[in-house]
């Protein structure tokens, strides 16, 4: 009798011990499912309007990112850092801390050339207008956004095409001093020759006029 009772107790104990892990697994799965549902429902989503841009230098272009917001979101909860990466080195375009622009963080390459549209920030949009494009503005642009709802980052690439500049007109080369001296010498010789020719011509005309006068005034010389 005692043997039968001990067997029943061992069977009950084994059944109870095998049920505990199953219950724990089920509870763990339920908790995991609840956690996943809550995470999916509160996912922070960020996108970039275009992944690739192309423009000519000296033109303007607008880069834009979007992120998920809530109706009651405050601008002071937005922290943003948008940078150009060249050889893994960041060049900051825009830095927002608690919704306020930190101009000291902007790289000198973009000084005076970046316009930030703050009016659309509440709509979940980061819009940057980059003016007077340069070829060195080409590269990968990364924008990080953090709010009370989450964090996200997206990239886009910009290619700035160089425009051929017209060749400047070459100034007319002024003659060298030696050439100017030669020109003056030639001009002087020409004027001297012209004066000598004029004097010779006048002298010849005078002689002809004198001979004709003498022949007219002396009739005896005519046969």
């Amino acid at each position: 009798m005692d043997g039968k009772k001990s067997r029943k107790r061992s069977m009950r104990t084994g059944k109870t011990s095998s049920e505990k892990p199953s219950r724990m697994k089920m509870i763990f799965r339920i908790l995991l499912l609840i956690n996943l549902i809550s995470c999916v429902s509160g996912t922070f989503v960020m996108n970039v309007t275009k992944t690739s841009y192309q423009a000519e230098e000296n033109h303007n272009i607008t880069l834009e990112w979007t992120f998920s917001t809530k109706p009651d979101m405050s601008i002071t909860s937005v922290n943003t850092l948008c940078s150009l990466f060249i050889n893994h080195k960041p060049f900051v375009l825009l830095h927002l801390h608690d919704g306020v622009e930190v101009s000291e963080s902007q790289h000198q390459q973009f000084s005076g050339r970046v316009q930030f549209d703050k009016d659309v920030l509440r709509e979940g949009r980061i819009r940057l207008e980059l003016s007077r494009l340069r070829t060195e503005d080409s590269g990968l642009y990364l924008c990080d956004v953090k709010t009370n709802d989450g964090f996200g980052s997206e990239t886009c690439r910009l290619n700035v095409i160089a425009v051929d500049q017209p060749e400047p007109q070459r100034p007319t080369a002024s003659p060298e001093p030696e050439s100017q001296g030669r020109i003056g010498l030639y001009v002087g010789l020409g004027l001297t020759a012209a004066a000598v020719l004029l004097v010779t011509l006048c002298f010849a005309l005078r002689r002809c006029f004198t001979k004709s006068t003498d022949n007219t005034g002396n009739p005896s010389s005519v046969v």
Side-chain angles (χ1 to χ4, degrees):
M1 293 291 294
D2 294 337
K4 290 182 179 180
K5 290 181 179 180
S6 60
R7 286 178 184 178
K8 289 182 180 180
R9 289 177 182 176
S10 61
M11 290 177 65
R12 291 177 181 176
T13 305
K15 186 177 180 181
T16 305
S17 61
S18 62
E19 287 179 353
K20 285 184 178 180
S22 299
R23 291 180 180 178
M24 293 299 296
K25 287 181 180 179
M26 186 178 294
I27 294 172
F28 177 77
R29 289 175 182 175
I30 294 173
L31 292 175
L32 181 61
L33 182 60
I34 294 173
N35 188 29
L36 288 174
I37 293 174
S38 62
C39 289
V40 171
S41 61
T43 300
F44 183 87
V45 179
M46 183 171 179
N47 293 304
V48 60
T49 305
K50 291 179 63 177
T51 58
S52 180
Y53 296 85
Q54 182 169 295
E56 295 182 350
E57 62 178 342
N58 296 323
H59 284 205
N60 302 341
I61 198 167
T62 300
L63 310 178
E64 187 171 346
W65 292 264
T66 62
F67 59 94
S68 56
T69 62
K70 292 182 178 179
D72 58 346
M73 187 197 75
S74 174
I75 294 180
T76 58
S77 67
V78 180
N79 293 274
T80 302
L81 186 65
C82 299
S83 306
L84 164 65
F85 280 81
I86 300 178
N87 296 327
H88 306 287
K89 183 180 179 181
F91 297 81
V92 177
L93 287 84
L94 174 70
H95 179 199
L96 291 182
H97 180 69
D98 294 339
V100 179
E101 186 173 357
V102 184
S103 57
E104 294 81 5
S105 301
Q106 188 179 73
H107 193 271
Q108 60 182 1
Q109 175 178 333
F110 302 107
S111 178
R113 298 195 298 125
V114 178
Q115 296 293 328
F116 167 58
D117 191 351
K118 194 172 183 179
D119 295 336
V120 298
L121 184 62
R122 191 182 297 274
E123 302 172 6
R125 297 161 66 187
I126 304 293
R127 180 187 291 172
L128 302 178
E129 181 179 354
L130 183 57
S131 60
R132 303 188 304 278
L133 289 173
R134 308 171 184 172
T135 54
E136 56 265 30
D137 294 334
S138 300
L140 184 69
Y141 287 79
L142 171 67
C143 190
D144 298 325
V145 176
K146 181 181 180 299
T147 67
N148 294 335
D149 299 324
F151 170 83
S153 66
E154 280 293 342
T155 62
C156 66
R157 187 168 293 274
L158 172 63
N159 181 32
V160 180
I161 303 173
V163 178
D164 295 334
Q165 299 292 337
E167 295 184 0
Q169 296 182 353
R170 296 181 179 179
T172 305
S174 58
E176 297 180 358
E178 184 178 356
S179 300
Q180 291 180 352
R182 290 181 181 179
I183 293 173
L185 178 61
Y186 294 152
V187 172
L189 291 175
L191 292 175
T192 302
V196 171
L197 181 61
L198 182 61
V199 171
T200 303
L201 182 61
C202 291
F203 183 74
L205 290 174
R206 184 177 181 182
R207 287 188 63 186
C208 292
F209 180 76
T210 303
K211 284 183 178 182
S212 62
T213 303
D214 292 342
N215 292 335
T216 305
N218 189 10
S220 60
S221 62
V222 181
V223 180

